[in-house]
Amino acid sequence: MTTPHAPARIPWAAPRRRRPAVLAAALTAVLLGTLGNVSAAPAQTPRPGTGPTAADCPAELADKARCYTGRDANGAHYTMAVPARWNGSLVVHAHGGPGLGDASDPDRSTDDLERWAVMVEEGYAWAGSAYRRGGYGARMAAADTENVRRLFTEHFGRPERTYLHGQSWGGNVAAKAAETYGGRPGAYDGVLLTNGVLGGGSRGYDYRVDLRVVYQYYCRNHPRPSEPRYPLWQGLRPDSTMTTTGLRARLQECTGYASAPADRTARQQRNLDDILAVTGVPERTLESHLRFATFTFRDIVANRLGGRNPFSNRGVRYSGSHDDKALNAGVARFSADPTARRDLSYDSDLTGKVSLPVLTLHAIDDPTAFVEHEAAYRATLRGAGRGGNLVQTFTDEREHSSLSDAEYANSLAALDDWARSGRKPTPRSVAASCAAFDAEYGGGCHYEPGYHPASYASRVRPRPGGLDWPAMTAAQERAWSRIDGVGIAP
């Protein structure tokens, strides 16, 4: 570990492919204001009260940047990096998940810096929060993301440009931060969303609701008949001691998913075929989706919504099985508690009211955040009259968390040029500019500029009233914000 010291303000220098940048902000520290319920006082580690301290950078950035870690006044760990050849701009990163647990994970933001080190290699400073706790809470995570931007600005001066980056669930968080804080002059200049979960909380997990009930119909081991009963919308009863290992064992028992097809019983293969066909979940991520529909659903219901149910499958007709009639007659049915659905919607649904350039990058065969999330986001912005702020790009990759480094660098460069020049890129122009980055970073350029995803409803069975976007209008958001205790507590 490098000896801790106060972070110095870094002289500006132009990196590859960048014009020299001039810092316009004063070099004195900026006093932080109040961020909703989030105190934006100077951060420290390990206890609130001091600023970021020096830390070892990931190996990819050794001798290329200076890295810092800290913990803000709300307990959120964070990581920052300033390149030796800083272009004057900052990327504020919102991580995916959500992870579970009561405390902030000190390793999470450092791990993400390692994964997206290419952005720092491109000359951008980087700041990411691990959020003040695990568990669900998009507004909380957005507030912590905004807070780390303010902390960076206090200690290093105001960047020339600041861009939000959100990956996976962090796409929801970054989009929420853009809507909530992006209207403030100088806060953010653009948004990059990669493989984002952009359908929002009230609709974005409906396919996992379907998985939870369809799985139980066929497997009847989650819970077993001999175990205490609970409504499936809870995911898992609050006092259960089941682990992820135990869940995998039950999934294997029922479907043989981890075995070669030749080693599965006929019953296991039939169960697996029916579950996959009805839900549309890819086989390679079946376990991770069921894990979310078990443990994260429990967190949402038991820890964030006071035991109330935000989910519904009433009126949904399931199809694709060997016997749809029997399935629809026997599958568990339930309706959402209106206040629980409102609170989840207020916390994580998007209004589309964003005033910044937004560029998205999404793998067409993303097995975790289905590409149809992009159709939901486009419909959301169009429904809010902001469709002109969005450019969407797609690749023929099959990954969720690891797209090509060349594509990440290229996407950030395209967003930066859009913000600086006002010239809106096209999917084809973004694809065409990738080759130069691939020559430097590798990973390939896998763009499909002519691709357009089908509607969200084509992949996820809509609930009654679930075809119109945005799922939460700006007017609803304003009205709900006046209700005491609305949403999910930080």
Side-chain angles (χ1 to χ4, degrees):
M1 179 70 70
T2 308
T3 302
H5 62 275
R9 298 185 183 276
I10 310 299
W12 302 102
R16 298 176 299 271
R17 310 186 192 90
R18 296 288 184 272
R19 297 174 295 174
V22 178
L23 179 62
L27 295 181
T28 56
V30 178
L31 293 177
L32 295 179
T34 301
L35 177 58
N37 293 326
V38 180
S39 172
Q44 78 155 26
T45 187
R47 60 178 178 78
T50 64
T53 56
D56 291 331
C57 288
E60 295 90 334
L61 298 177
D63 303 322
K64 298 178 183 179
R66 299 179 73 178
C67 297
Y68 306 87
T69 59
R71 195 172 189 185
D72 72 15
N74 297 298
H77 289 278
Y78 61 83
T79 301
M80 298 174 180
V82 181
R85 291 174 57 81
W86 188 8
N87 65 11
S89 294
L90 169 69
V91 172
V92 181
H93 172 77
H95 76 68
L100 300 178
D102 296 330
S104 180
D105 179 359
D107 297 325
R108 181 57 197 256
S109 56
T110 301
D111 291 345
D112 277 9
L113 171 59
E114 182 176 6
R115 173 64 194 89
W116 283 280
V118 65
M119 296 181 176
V120 180
E121 293 187 54
E122 276 296 291
Y124 293 87
W126 194 94
S129 172
Y131 314 146
R132 71 191 74 179
R133 61 159 171 79
Y136 204 84
R139 285 185 183 269
M140 173 204 71
D144 290 343
T145 299
E146 164 65 0
N147 197 32
V148 79
R149 180 196 69 82
R150 294 186 177 201
L151 289 167
F152 183 95
T153 298
E154 179 189 0
H155 291 286
F156 298 102
R158 179 173 169 176
E160 182 185 8
R161 295 284 191 280
T162 301
Y163 301 112
L164 275 163
H165 171 237
Q167 161 70 22
S168 188
W169 182 64
N172 190 167
V173 173
K176 178 66 73 176
E179 292 181 0
T180 306
Y181 310 108
R184 298 178 181 178
Y188 298 100
D189 298 279
V191 188
L192 174 62
L193 306 176
T194 57
N195 280 4
V197 177
L198 301 174
S202 73
R203 299 179 188 173
Y205 307 123
D206 281 346
Y207 70 97
R208 286 170 169 156
V209 173
D210 296 338
L211 172 61
R212 187 66 182 87
V213 299
V214 170
Y215 174 87
Q216 182 63 6
Y217 171 79
Y218 288 109
C219 298
R220 304 188 189 281
N221 67 2
H222 187 25
R224 300 184 190 279
S226 60
E227 293 175 326
R229 313 299 290 175
Y230 56 88
L232 297 183
W233 48 261
Q234 288 185 349
L236 187 65
R237 72 179 196 273
D239 61 347
S240 173
T241 58
M242 179 187 286
T243 64
T244 56
T245 300
L247 180 63
R248 285 194 293 269
R250 296 188 189 210
L251 178 59
Q252 172 67 11
E253 170 192 295
C254 176
T255 68
Y257 82 107
S259 301
D263 296 329
R264 296 170 187 153
T265 68
R267 182 68 178 179
Q268 285 176 329
Q269 188 64 60
R270 186 181 180 95
N271 287 341
L272 182 61
D273 289 345
D274 278 339
I275 291 169
L276 298 179
V278 173
T279 65
V281 171
E283 183 173 347
R284 69 187 191 274
T285 52
L286 175 60
E287 185 268 331
S288 65
H289 286 298
L290 185 61
R291 189 170 66 241
F292 191 105
T294 298
F295 300 106
T296 304
F297 276 18
R298 177 172 66 175
D299 174 72
I300 292 172
V301 171
N303 299 334
R304 311 303 160 200
L305 296 175
R308 294 171 296 146
N309 172 28
F311 303 122
S312 174
N313 69 337
R314 193 74 64 185
V316 174
R317 175 164 178 78
Y318 297 107
S319 61
S321 72
H322 287 95
D323 188 341
D324 291 347
K325 183 177 180 180
L327 170 62
N328 282 282
V331 74
R333 300 281 183 177
F334 41 80
S335 298
D337 178 321
T339 64
R341 192 165 187 83
R342 176 205 66 196
D343 286 353
L344 183 59
S345 179
Y346 180 77
D347 179 76
S348 56
D349 282 347
L350 301 169
T351 66
K353 193 175 181 182
V354 59
S355 57
L356 303 169
V358 182
L359 178 66
T360 72
L361 171 68
H362 213 119
I364 294 170
D365 196 17
D366 182 340
T368 300
F370 301 153
V371 72
E372 288 81 7
H373 275 273
E374 295 289 343
Y377 192 56
R378 175 170 288 280
T380 294
L381 265 64
R382 285 177 171 174
R386 305 297 176 92
N389 292 340
L390 179 65
V391 173
Q392 294 176 300
T393 63
F394 302 93
T395 70
D396 64 4
E397 290 160 290
R398 303 179 71 246
E399 300 295 328
H400 174 63
S401 298
S402 301
L403 302 183
S404 161
D405 274 357
E407 291 163 358
Y408 286 123
N410 181 51
S411 297
L412 192 53
L415 179 64
D416 182 60
D417 183 72
W418 184 6
R420 290 175 182 273
S421 69
R423 295 187 299 270
K424 183 178 177 180
T426 67
R428 293 193 181 280
S429 71
V430 175
S433 64
C434 182
F437 294 94
D438 188 41
E440 183 163 357
Y441 296 112
C445 298
H446 307 280
Y447 290 96
E448 294 286 346
Y451 179 79
H452 299 281
S455 70
Y456 189 72
S458 71
R459 183 67 177 264
V460 182
R461 291 174 176 82
R463 277 54 180 163
L467 292 175
D468 294 331
W469 299 88
M472 174 181 65
T473 66
Q476 283 177 315
E477 182 181 43
R478 286 192 299 271
W480 288 344
S481 70
R482 302 185 187 103
I483 299 173
D484 186 43
V486 73
I488 290 175

